[in-house]
Amino acid sequence: MTRKTPPPKKAAAKPAARPSAKSAPAEGPAAKGFPASEGKKSVAKALTRKRTPQVARELLVVEMRRVRAIFVEIGERYLADIEGSIVSIIDDLAQRKLPPDRVERLLKEVRELDVKPRKGRRKDLGRIEMLVDDLRKSLED
């Protein structure tokens, strides 16, 4: 008669921790070139402690990490939307026959775009977005 070994005991389930930007190395700010945060504290642990200036500072750090992750997500989605519009315009231009004078006018608009990518300014993104909107409207006419 063979003796069966009992199934291994399951470890007590830990409460689900709130995901942070550092916990998923494949995604999030750490994967995008942002420096990894040092000395990460859990929210639950900080909340159970008596409110001291140090605890308040730790809570602020945790919340700012959350704001940072939200900022990165919003930025990614914004860029994806604008990039999708640009790809749509490129596809539209490649498939349509436009009069030469209209092509010259659109080409002039694109060449007049004045941005400085190395500065990383929000107003440059706005200028690109306005150009894309203008081109989309011109192609819809």
Side-chain angles (χ1 to χ4, degrees):
M1 186 182 335
T2 60
R3 190 170 164 187
K4 293 185 180 180
T5 57
K9 291 184 179 182
K10 293 183 180 178
K14 293 182 180 179
R18 190 170 169 186
S20 69
K22 190 176 176 186
S23 65
E27 296 180 16
K32 293 171 182 56
F34 292 110
S37 302
E38 296 295 325
K40 186 169 68 168
K41 306 286 182 185
S42 81
V43 177
K45 184 176 179 182
L47 287 173
T48 59
R49 294 173 44 197
K50 182 180 175 186
R51 184 64 67 104
T52 64
Q54 182 179 357
V55 171
R57 189 174 60 248
E58 288 174 4
L59 285 172
L60 181 59
V61 167
V62 168
E63 288 301 315
M64 287 307 298
R65 285 191 183 116
R66 185 180 65 82
V67 169
R68 178 183 178 196
I70 291 169
F71 177 79
V72 169
E73 182 179 352
I74 290 170
E76 288 173 347
R77 290 178 188 233
Y78 173 78
L79 293 174
D81 288 345
I82 301 301
E83 185 178 10
S85 296
I86 293 170
V87 169
S88 173
I89 290 171
I90 292 169
D91 291 344
D92 201 19
L93 288 171
Q95 295 174 359
R96 291 174 64 181
K97 297 270 185 180
L98 296 173
D101 60 328
R102 192 169 179 191
V103 171
E104 288 299 323
R105 185 175 49 83
L106 295 175
L107 186 58
K108 183 180 175 189
E109 281 185 51
V110 172
R111 287 182 175 163
E112 287 177 349
L113 178 66
D114 183 27
V115 295
K116 297 177 182 170
R118 290 191 188 268
K119 289 196 173 185
R121 298 183 299 191
R122 187 172 49 185
K123 71 179 184 180
D124 288 340
L125 291 175
R127 288 176 180 162
I128 293 171
E129 185 176 14
M130 286 189 325
L131 172 68
V132 169
D133 289 342
D134 290 346
L135 291 174
R136 172 59 46 211
K137 289 175 186 171
S138 295
L139 291 174
E140 288 175 356
D141 294 341

